Structures are given as structure tokens and as C-alpha cells.
Amino acid sequence: MKEKFIEFQHEGDTLEAYLAVDSNQSKKLPAIMISHTWRGRSDFECDKARALAALGYVGFAIDLYGKGVIGQNPEESAALMQPFLDDRAKLQNRMIAALEVLSTQEEVDAGNIAAMGYCFGGLCVLDLARTGTQLEGVVSFHGLLQAPGNTDGNKINSKVLILHGNDDPMAPTDHVVSIQQELTAAGADWQLHNYGNTMHAFTNPQANDPGFGTVYNETADKRSWRTLMQFLDEIFT
């Protein structure tokens, strides 16, 4: 496995992305940009990058908060995330900047890039699609779904896959209905998989707080990963 960290600047902040690729590959490969949870980029996202690299893709786990910045508890994580929820244009521009860095890497087939994200990261990749940026696809795992308010009327040019827990208190039913209407109005090729008896953070084995609404669900985790594999096979064919 070839791994490297890539620093880049955006609006005065030093950011750091993690890239993983099979070291035996010599040709340019499809790439998947991975956007992190509200904590910041951690081993969780880097592990996903390595898993994708083992399958023949370039995995690229990005950092939106700043090099080495990680929330140590829910309060810190919420404080790191909130400025981006308050300024969705800033969030969208940072996602575009990270995508530009990925597209210039020597290992990457710049015409075959997708993005996926978890929780807050799910909102990030949906916002990237909402800008009209051309990607092969975006995938939201138990993501926040509320519209940003600054992309109305844009055409979505990426295929969209939403993997959602039906009992997720952070993405309630009205948000699910709204995004389906939003994606349809934007002309998107979209699908939404709704897992029953499943809460927020269902892919994270460390999630075990029913009162907060974050609980790991092994079945939904495995089903969502298989669905991701099918989606990547479709969009990169």
C-alpha cells in the first residue's frame, strides 16, 4: 500500500489530506474523496481510504478543519462543525478546493472521481453535488440532509446515493422527504436506501449511545458497504 499525506491551503488554513493506493498499480485509477464526521479526519476515514485502495481505487480522506484538528468530545466536535453549517458557501468552496487537489494527483484518473462522507461528511458531499460540480457520484452515509439555501435552481450533475437509518434523529423524516423533492427538482439521478431499526452513525463500531441517537448496526453497516460497491461499479464502468 502506498500512502501519503498532502498539505494544501484554503482561505488561510493549512489542511491535510491522506491518500492511499495499491502500490502495484501503475495506471491512473478512479478515486473516491472521503469527507469526515463532525470530529475531523480520523483513523475511521483513513481506514475507509485504505479499504478502497485495496479494491483498486484511490482513497482520499480529506480534512476540512485544519491539519491535526480533531474534536475530543461531542462539545468540541459540534464547535468545529458549526461554522460550516452556518456558512455553507465556505463549506462548499472548501470541498471544491479539496477536490481540485485530488484531481491533480498523479495516481488519479481525473475524469473518474466520486465523493463519499459520513454524518457531517455526508452533508459535505451532498453540498458538493448541489453546487453543480461534475462528479461521477456522491454517497452519503447517515448524513445530515438539510438543504443549504444557496444552491436552489442548480442542476445536480452527479449520481446521488443516500444510505440512511430510518430512526436517525439527526435526519428526521421531514428532512428525508425534503431532500427527495430537492434532488428530483434538480434533475438528479438519485436513490435512497432507508434501513429499518437503524440510528445515526450506524457504520461506526464505536457508536453506542442510544440516548444521543448514535448506535452501530452491523447489518446496516454491511448492507451499506455492499451497496457502495455496486454504486462504484456502476459509475466507474
Side-chain angles (χ1 to χ4, degrees):
M1 187 75 66
K2 175 184 176 181
E3 303 170 274
K4 64 180 180 179
F5 290 93
I6 302 157
E7 285 190 14
F8 63 100
Q9 302 290 319
H10 184 252
E11 296 182 349
D13 293 330
T14 299
L15 308 169
E16 182 185 68
Y18 166 80
L19 184 147
V21 64
D22 183 345
S23 57
N24 294 318
Q25 294 281 358
S26 58
K27 64 180 181 180
K28 292 181 179 293
L29 299 171
I32 299 101
M33 186 167 80
I34 305 162
S35 190
H36 56 70
T37 72
W38 68 338
R39 287 192 64 221
R41 198 200 69 228
S42 67
D43 289 342
F44 177 83
E45 291 81 16
C46 293
D47 285 345
K48 300 300 182 184
R50 286 186 283 269
L52 291 166
L55 293 169
Y57 303 108
V58 177
F60 190 71
I62 65 171
D63 151 40
L64 297 177
Y65 295 159
K67 181 179 178 179
V69 178
I70 294 284
Q72 299 301 320
N73 53 53
E75 293 74 24
E76 287 187 9
S77 298
L80 289 168
M81 175 178 66
Q82 193 60 48
F84 291 95
L85 298 182
D86 293 339
D87 188 350
R88 298 284 279 274
K90 175 183 176 72
L91 168 60
Q92 293 153 9
N93 289 335
R94 186 150 292 189
M95 290 293 291
I96 291 170
L99 178 63
E100 290 173 348
V101 171
L102 172 59
S103 67
T104 62
Q105 300 306 306
E106 62 182 3
E107 302 88 353
V108 173
D109 175 359
N112 276 308
I113 296 178
M116 65 188 234
Y118 294 83
C119 309
F120 167 61
L123 177 142
C124 294
V125 300
L126 290 170
D127 262 23
L128 185 59
R130 285 163 164 143
T131 66
T133 298
Q134 182 65 57
L135 292 161
E136 295 304 300
V138 301
V139 184
S140 167
F141 288 84
H142 43 82
L144 309 179
L145 303 177
Q146 54 267 53
N150 70 331
T151 58
D152 295 349
N154 287 358
K155 177 176 173 53
I156 291 179
N157 297 303
S158 309
K159 292 184 178 181
V160 177
L161 171 62
I162 297 173
L163 303 165
H164 172 70
N166 189 64
D167 302 323
D168 186 341
M170 299 168 202
T173 300
D174 58 328
H175 291 189
V176 176
V177 172
S178 292
I179 197 168
Q180 291 178 85
Q181 295 170 340
E182 177 195 353
L183 293 171
T184 298
D189 177 342
W190 67 269
Q191 53 184 303
L192 188 149
H193 294 236
N194 196 12
Y195 302 111
N197 304 305
T198 303
M199 290 188 175
H200 191 71
F202 61 79
T203 65
N204 185 353
Q206 305 305 313
N208 186 27
D209 189 348
F212 191 51
T214 55
V215 177
Y216 177 62
N217 185 312
E218 183 179 6
T219 300
D221 183 18
K222 290 179 178 178
R223 286 174 175 170
S224 65
W225 189 259
R226 286 197 297 267
T227 302
L228 170 68
M229 295 298 98
Q230 293 169 349
F231 185 71
L232 295 179
D233 183 61
E234 174 190 325
I235 64 175
F236 291 139
T237 298

